[in-house]
Amino acid sequence: MIAYLRGNVAEVEKDSIILECQGIGYRIFMPVSALERMKEGDGERIVHTYLNVREDAMLLYGFLTKNDLSVFRLLLGVSGVGPKAAMGILSYFSWEDLSFAVVSDDAAAIARAPGIGKKTAQKVILELKDKLHLQDAFEEKSGQGAPGSEQDADPKASKDPEAAREAVEALVALGYGRTEAAKAVRQAAGSVGSVDVEELLRAALKQM
């Protein structure tokens, strides 16, 4: 239907923006982090959109990147997760951090998102584990994905996700949470010159 809209932000509200496109103002619901970005600067913006058609309304949901939109669509495919819950998850997590939580089986972290209980968090992990991958998240954080992503991971590490997984498991064995461990390994990947697990682990521990 509507793949994206290009226009100027006329207003930023609590859970949505008004995007003016050729004299028409579109209300677009967006994650909290995206709303904050919309408050910065002026000029034309591109918002990737999902049109949700209900019996009583047609609602537009918007995202800054195609990856965010793709993960939103995946979340809608999870039993018991509707647009509001999916937006709550993406307001709490970036899609990369959600990937880390899913592949790390960290239901406790996902359950901290607004409106998401432990059972729903477990469903998200069960249904998305084969669809979200650490390698994709590493590549995004290394700057190989959407423009504007952080430059805090080394491309070499993204080419060897097994080393990253081993480092994460080692940190978990030391008592750290899986999502916390995954983030530390991601950040540490930018400070090591190889994908050796021991070096990656040492650098990650410094990040912790």
mmCIF file of all heavy atoms in Angstrom, residues 30-51:
data_model
loop_
_atom_site.group_PDB
_atom_site.id
_atom_site.type_symbol
_atom_site.label_atom_id
_atom_site.label_comp_id
_atom_site.label_asym_id
_atom_site.label_seq_id
_atom_site.Cartn_x
_atom_site.Cartn_y
_atom_site.Cartn_z
ATOM 1 N N MET A 30 4.766 6.296 15.854
ATOM 2 C CA MET A 30 6.169 5.907 15.768
ATOM 3 C C MET A 30 6.702 5.502 17.142
ATOM 4 O O MET A 30 6.172 5.927 18.183
ATOM 5 C CB MET A 30 7.015 7.065 15.216
ATOM 6 C CG MET A 30 6.590 7.561 13.833
ATOM 7 S SD MET A 30 7.707 8.808 13.143
ATOM 8 C CE MET A 30 9.118 7.765 12.684
ATOM 9 N N PRO A 31 7.786 4.687 17.176
ATOM 10 C CA PRO A 31 8.425 4.362 18.454
ATOM 11 C C PRO A 31 8.962 5.625 19.120
ATOM 12 O O PRO A 31 9.270 6.615 18.441
ATOM 13 C CB PRO A 31 9.569 3.423 18.046
ATOM 14 C CG PRO A 31 9.167 2.880 16.712
ATOM 15 C CD PRO A 31 8.407 3.981 16.048
ATOM 16 N N VAL A 32 9.104 5.583 20.432
ATOM 17 C CA VAL A 32 9.557 6.752 21.199
ATOM 18 C C VAL A 32 10.900 7.270 20.702
ATOM 19 O O VAL A 32 11.095 8.479 20.534
ATOM 20 C CB VAL A 32 9.634 6.402 22.697
ATOM 21 C CG1 VAL A 32 10.280 7.552 23.477
ATOM 22 C CG2 VAL A 32 8.249 6.114 23.248
ATOM 23 N N SER A 33 11.839 6.370 20.454
ATOM 24 C CA SER A 33 13.168 6.791 20.002
ATOM 25 C C SER A 33 13.094 7.523 18.668
ATOM 26 O O SER A 33 13.809 8.505 18.433
ATOM 27 C CB SER A 33 14.095 5.577 19.877
ATOM 28 O OG SER A 33 13.535 4.612 18.998
ATOM 29 N N ALA A 34 12.211 7.075 17.790
ATOM 30 C CA ALA A 34 12.038 7.733 16.490
ATOM 31 C C ALA A 34 11.400 9.104 16.656
ATOM 32 O O ALA A 34 11.760 10.054 15.950
ATOM 33 C CB ALA A 34 11.196 6.860 15.569
ATOM 34 N N LEU A 35 10.470 9.234 17.589
ATOM 35 C CA LEU A 35 9.839 10.529 17.841
ATOM 36 C C LEU A 35 10.863 11.555 18.300
ATOM 37 O O LEU A 35 10.814 12.727 17.903
ATOM 38 C CB LEU A 35 8.739 10.380 18.902
ATOM 39 C CG LEU A 35 7.489 9.595 18.488
ATOM 40 C CD1 LEU A 35 6.583 9.377 19.699
ATOM 41 C CD2 LEU A 35 6.725 10.336 17.391
ATOM 42 N N GLU A 36 11.806 11.107 19.137
ATOM 43 C CA GLU A 36 12.863 12.009 19.602
ATOM 44 C C GLU A 36 13.710 12.492 18.434
ATOM 45 O O GLU A 36 14.100 13.661 18.368
ATOM 46 C CB GLU A 36 13.739 11.305 20.643
ATOM 47 C CG GLU A 36 13.040 11.009 21.956
ATOM 48 C CD GLU A 36 12.529 12.276 22.635
ATOM 49 O OE1 GLU A 36 13.261 13.287 22.642
ATOM 50 O OE2 GLU A 36 11.397 12.246 23.146
ATOM 51 N N ARG A 37 13.998 11.589 17.501
ATOM 52 C CA ARG A 37 14.777 11.959 16.323
ATOM 53 C C ARG A 37 14.024 12.961 15.456
ATOM 54 O O ARG A 37 14.620 13.838 14.826
ATOM 55 C CB ARG A 37 15.108 10.713 15.499
ATOM 56 C CG ARG A 37 16.074 9.737 16.170
ATOM 57 C CD ARG A 37 17.511 10.181 16.014
ATOM 58 N NE ARG A 37 17.899 10.199 14.613
ATOM 59 C CZ ARG A 37 18.302 9.128 13.933
ATOM 60 N NH1 ARG A 37 18.356 7.949 14.529
ATOM 61 N NH2 ARG A 37 18.662 9.245 12.669
ATOM 62 N N MET A 38 12.715 12.835 15.430
ATOM 63 C CA MET A 38 11.908 13.721 14.604
ATOM 64 C C MET A 38 11.897 15.154 15.131
ATOM 65 O O MET A 38 11.568 16.094 14.418
ATOM 66 C CB MET A 38 10.471 13.199 14.513
ATOM 67 C CG MET A 38 10.328 11.986 13.606
ATOM 68 S SD MET A 38 10.706 12.424 11.890
ATOM 69 C CE MET A 38 10.684 10.805 11.115
ATOM 70 N N LYS A 39 12.241 15.308 16.399
ATOM 71 C CA LYS A 39 12.290 16.651 16.987
ATOM 72 C C LYS A 39 13.573 17.392 16.608
ATOM 73 O O LYS A 39 13.680 18.602 16.806
ATOM 74 C CB LYS A 39 12.202 16.563 18.514
ATOM 75 C CG LYS A 39 10.878 16.019 19.031
ATOM 76 C CD LYS A 39 10.908 15.909 20.546
ATOM 77 C CE LYS A 39 9.612 15.322 21.083
ATOM 78 N NZ LYS A 39 9.641 15.153 22.560
ATOM 79 N N GLU A 40 14.538 16.648 16.069
ATOM 80 C CA GLU A 40 15.846 17.228 15.779
ATOM 81 C C GLU A 40 15.889 17.799 14.362
ATOM 82 O O GLU A 40 15.643 17.090 13.393
ATOM 83 C CB GLU A 40 16.937 16.159 15.928
ATOM 84 C CG GLU A 40 17.001 15.540 17.313
ATOM 85 C CD GLU A 40 17.931 14.342 17.363
ATOM 86 O OE1 GLU A 40 18.518 14.016 16.304
ATOM 87 O OE2 GLU A 40 18.060 13.741 18.442
ATOM 88 N N GLY A 41 16.222 19.063 14.250
ATOM 89 C CA GLY A 41 16.430 19.668 12.943
ATOM 90 C C GLY A 41 15.162 19.878 12.140
ATOM 91 O O GLY A 41 14.055 19.558 12.555
ATOM 92 N N ASP A 42 15.374 20.442 10.950
ATOM 93 C CA ASP A 42 14.259 20.713 10.046
ATOM 94 C C ASP A 42 14.509 20.016 8.712
ATOM 95 O O ASP A 42 15.457 19.274 8.564
ATOM 96 C CB ASP A 42 14.112 22.228 9.830
ATOM 97 C CG ASP A 42 13.827 22.967 11.124
ATOM 98 O OD1 ASP A 42 12.960 22.492 11.880
ATOM 99 O OD2 ASP A 42 14.472 24.001 11.371
ATOM 100 N N GLY A 43 13.651 20.289 7.756
ATOM 101 C CA GLY A 43 13.827 19.727 6.427
ATOM 102 C C GLY A 43 12.974 18.498 6.190
ATOM 103 O O GLY A 43 12.264 18.012 7.081
ATOM 104 N N GLU A 44 13.067 17.980 4.975
ATOM 105 C CA GLU A 44 12.272 16.823 4.583
ATOM 106 C C GLU A 44 12.728 15.560 5.300
ATOM 107 O O GLU A 44 13.918 15.354 5.520
ATOM 108 C CB GLU A 44 12.380 16.598 3.061
ATOM 109 C CG GLU A 44 11.249 17.215 2.292
ATOM 110 C CD GLU A 44 11.209 16.739 0.854
ATOM 111 O OE1 GLU A 44 12.181 16.129 0.377
ATOM 112 O OE2 GLU A 44 10.192 16.993 0.206
ATOM 113 N N ARG A 45 11.767 14.716 5.627
ATOM 114 C CA ARG A 45 12.047 13.438 6.263
ATOM 115 C C ARG A 45 11.387 12.327 5.453
ATOM 116 O O ARG A 45 10.326 12.531 4.854
ATOM 117 C CB ARG A 45 11.515 13.392 7.692
ATOM 118 C CG ARG A 45 12.044 14.488 8.603
ATOM 119 C CD ARG A 45 13.527 14.356 8.853
ATOM 120 N NE ARG A 45 14.002 15.359 9.768
ATOM 121 C CZ ARG A 45 14.050 15.196 11.093
ATOM 122 N NH1 ARG A 45 13.626 14.061 11.633
ATOM 123 N NH2 ARG A 45 14.492 16.156 11.868
ATOM 124 N N ILE A 46 12.017 11.164 5.471
ATOM 125 C CA ILE A 46 11.402 9.973 4.877
ATOM 126 C C ILE A 46 11.009 9.029 6.005
ATOM 127 O O ILE A 46 11.826 8.714 6.867
ATOM 128 C CB ILE A 46 12.371 9.260 3.920
ATOM 129 C CG1 ILE A 46 12.663 10.140 2.700
ATOM 130 C CG2 ILE A 46 11.791 7.922 3.460
ATOM 131 C CD1 ILE A 46 13.654 9.529 1.725
ATOM 132 N N VAL A 47 9.761 8.606 6.015
ATOM 133 C CA VAL A 47 9.262 7.685 7.036
ATOM 134 C C VAL A 47 8.744 6.428 6.332
ATOM 135 O O VAL A 47 7.862 6.506 5.475
ATOM 136 C CB VAL A 47 8.135 8.325 7.868
ATOM 137 C CG1 VAL A 47 7.634 7.336 8.915
ATOM 138 C CG2 VAL A 47 8.611 9.616 8.524
ATOM 139 N N HIS A 48 9.327 5.278 6.681
ATOM 140 C CA HIS A 48 8.874 3.996 6.134
ATOM 141 C C HIS A 48 7.625 3.574 6.913
ATOM 142 O O HIS A 48 7.623 3.582 8.146
ATOM 143 C CB HIS A 48 9.982 2.953 6.261
ATOM 144 C CG HIS A 48 11.239 3.366 5.553
ATOM 145 N ND1 HIS A 48 11.447 3.139 4.215
ATOM 146 C CD2 HIS A 48 12.346 4.016 6.002
ATOM 147 C CE1 HIS A 48 12.621 3.617 3.868
ATOM 148 N NE2 HIS A 48 13.185 4.161 4.923
ATOM 149 N N THR A 49 6.581 3.211 6.198
ATOM 150 C CA THR A 49 5.280 3.059 6.849
ATOM 151 C C THR A 49 4.650 1.680 6.687
ATOM 152 O O THR A 49 4.932 0.943 5.741
ATOM 153 C CB THR A 49 4.287 4.107 6.309
ATOM 154 O OG1 THR A 49 4.170 3.955 4.891
ATOM 155 C CG2 THR A 49 4.745 5.509 6.632
ATOM 156 N N TYR A 50 3.786 1.387 7.642
ATOM 157 C CA TYR A 50 2.954 0.176 7.624
ATOM 158 C C TYR A 50 1.514 0.631 7.867
ATOM 159 O O TYR A 50 1.226 1.310 8.860
ATOM 160 C CB TYR A 50 3.384 -0.803 8.715
ATOM 161 C CG TYR A 50 2.509 -2.031 8.823
ATOM 162 C CD1 TYR A 50 2.774 -3.168 8.070
ATOM 163 C CD2 TYR A 50 1.402 -2.041 9.678
ATOM 164 C CE1 TYR A 50 1.966 -4.291 8.160
ATOM 165 C CE2 TYR A 50 0.595 -3.163 9.777
ATOM 166 C CZ TYR A 50 0.881 -4.282 9.008
ATOM 167 O OH TYR A 50 0.069 -5.395 9.101
ATOM 168 N N LEU A 51 0.628 0.263 6.963
ATOM 169 C CA LEU A 51 -0.787 0.636 7.101
ATOM 170 C C LEU A 51 -1.552 -0.513 7.740
ATOM 171 O O LEU A 51 -1.640 -1.600 7.178
ATOM 172 C CB LEU A 51 -1.384 0.979 5.733
ATOM 173 C CG LEU A 51 -2.883 1.340 5.720
ATOM 174 C CD1 LEU A 51 -3.140 2.599 6.546
ATOM 175 C CD2 LEU A 51 -3.372 1.525 4.285
#
